[in-house]
Amino acid sequence: MFLLIKNELGKIFGKKASWIYMLIIVIAVALGGILEDRIGGEPNNNWREETQATVNQLQQDLEAAPEEEKEWMAAELKRQQGYLDENINPNAKSNWHFMNMTVSGVTMLVTLFAVIVSSASVSSEFSDGTIKQLLIRPHERWVILLSKYLSVIIYSLLLLIVLILAGFVTGSILFDSVNFNTKFFETTLEGQRVAELGPQFFLKTVYYLPSLLILITISFMLSTLFKSQALAVGIGIFVLFLSSTLGGLIVFLAEKYTWAKFLIFPHLDLTVYALQDNILGDVTLPVSLLTLAVYYIIFIALTFTIFQKRDVSI
């Protein structure tokens, strides 16, 4: 198995595109850091005085404000007072701020490139006419397919590692370094909550992994279904963007229809749980993980069953 995986990784890295994907991620992170450094302005060392002045002004304005504005002003007053109470600079910029905000957003590129490589893994063997040579080896079909599946997972994790390393290096060069456990306010649907920069970044990364695995698995399944590499990759990318679109729509459907909670799309972005405890009303992280696990088993079973019975004539 190890030699098969090594051979499949050799195929992946033998393509220039696989290296270009890594380079694109590094460039995207560097550009994000430069833009954040240029556009964000300089950190304000007198933030406590200015924030206190804002709090005092809001307290005065709140009493005379119209009723329709009082709710917003009260929320803003609470937010500004929170910065003072927790001693959190609202305009702070550091390496871990950059990691938590910008680098976390670039994970969409990791997902995109992982989907492309996964979708092409098996279908490219049909397109290139090498599928028969692959299957005449003294190994069971499922072993060969498993080696391909594990190789695309390894490559996808390497993309994620490249992203994290590029983000840390870029952030350390462009911004001040702060303590891993520095506090900041994370914006959620329910308002603001205090979190620690480093742990929050890695928490989001951990929650990102299940959705990455599911999307890789769906793309890999499509790769076994279609002999055309272009078709498999195209459908894989379509499913990726469709999932992000339908996820928001199903959130609204779930308010009226219970069955909508068990569709896969709203559970694909588990990073939401780094910001809040529930989604879709009462759905918690264990429920989302269980839902994804059921779909994962179905996708894996379909993938290996289809490939076992697949006609490899070309």
Side-chain angles (χ1 to χ4, degrees):
M1 175 64 76
F2 174 77
L3 291 177
L4 286 175
I5 294 174
K6 182 180 178 181
N7 182 63
E8 293 300 329
L9 286 172
K11 289 181 182 179
I12 292 175
F13 284 103
K15 299 177 181 179
K16 290 182 180 180
S18 300
W19 296 99
I20 292 174
Y21 296 152
M22 291 185 172
L23 181 60
I24 290 174
I25 289 174
V26 173
I27 292 173
V29 171
L31 289 177
I34 292 171
L35 287 174
E36 185 172 328
D37 183 47
R38 298 271 178 93
I39 297 175
E42 295 295 326
N44 185 1
N45 294 324
N46 299 320
W47 67 271
R48 287 194 66 88
E49 291 78 1
E50 293 187 4
T51 303
Q52 184 62 62
T54 301
V55 168
N56 294 338
Q57 188 63 50
L58 284 170
Q59 288 174 337
Q60 294 178 8
D61 296 343
L62 184 60
E63 299 179 359
E67 287 298 325
E68 60 271 15
E69 295 183 10
K70 282 189 175 182
E71 183 176 353
W72 173 85
M73 294 183 68
E76 180 64 16
L77 176 60
K78 182 180 179 181
R79 187 172 73 91
Q80 294 292 336
Q81 185 62 51
Y83 291 130
L84 296 173
D85 295 340
E86 298 292 340
N87 195 33
I88 295 174
N89 183 351
N91 303 313
K93 292 197 303 182
S94 71
N95 55 340
W96 284 112
H97 282 91
F98 174 68
M99 292 285 284
N100 195 68
M101 302 300 294
T102 305
V103 175
S104 292
V106 183
T107 53
M108 64 180 181
L109 286 180
V110 174
T111 305
L112 175 61
F113 296 146
V115 165
I116 292 174
V117 173
S118 302
S119 300
S121 180
V122 179
S123 58
S124 62
E125 300 283 358
F126 286 99
S127 297
D128 298 338
T130 57
I131 187 66
K132 284 187 175 180
Q133 289 85 345
L134 180 68
L135 296 181
I136 61 175
R137 296 176 180 178
H139 299 284
E140 295 287 341
R141 278 195 180 192
W142 70 268
V143 175
I144 294 173
L145 188 64
L146 180 60
S147 67
K148 280 187 165 292
Y149 179 61
L150 294 178
S151 68
V152 296
I153 290 177
I154 292 171
Y155 175 74
S156 301
L157 291 177
L158 287 175
L159 288 177
L160 183 59
I161 291 171
V162 168
L163 170 64
I164 294 173
L165 291 177
F168 185 78
V169 171
T170 301
S172 298
I173 293 174
L174 295 177
F175 307 104
D176 294 333
S177 296
V178 297
N179 190 284
F180 183 79
N181 298 107
T182 298
K183 291 183 179 181
F184 79 117
F185 274 119
E186 182 76 278
T187 302
T188 72
L189 295 177
E190 300 171 352
Q192 291 191 141
R193 61 190 293 182
V194 178
E196 296 179 341
L197 284 167
Q200 184 73 349
F201 169 75
F202 284 105
L203 183 63
K204 289 179 181 178
T205 302
V206 170
Y207 285 161
Y208 164 73
L209 291 175
S211 62
L212 177 63
L213 178 63
I214 289 292
L215 288 169
I216 289 173
T217 305
I218 294 174
S219 304
F220 192 76
M221 179 180 67
L222 293 172
S223 187
T224 64
L225 288 174
F226 301 103
K227 293 183 178 181
S228 169
Q229 179 180 345
L231 183 61
V233 172
I235 295 177
I237 294 175
F238 174 75
V239 170
L240 171 61
F241 287 102
L242 182 68
S243 65
S244 60
T245 303
L246 289 181
L249 176 62
I250 292 173
V251 168
F252 292 103
L253 287 177
E255 296 179 359
K256 294 184 178 181
Y257 307 103
T258 303
W259 56 264
K261 297 179 181 180
F262 301 103
L263 297 176
I264 190 173
F265 299 107
H267 303 281
L268 284 177
D269 185 12
L270 297 185
T271 58
V272 175
Y273 288 110
L275 307 177
Q276 58 195 58
D277 298 327
N278 295 29
I279 63 171
L280 303 177
D282 58 348
V283 175
T284 59
L285 178 60
V287 175
S288 290
L289 288 174
L290 179 61
T291 302
L292 290 180
V294 171
Y295 279 101
Y296 178 79
I297 293 171
I298 294 172
F299 293 147
I300 284 292
L302 285 174
T303 300
F304 281 81
T305 300
I306 291 170
F307 190 74
Q308 284 287 103
K309 299 179 179 181
R310 186 72 183 270
D311 179 12
V312 297
S313 60
I314 54 175

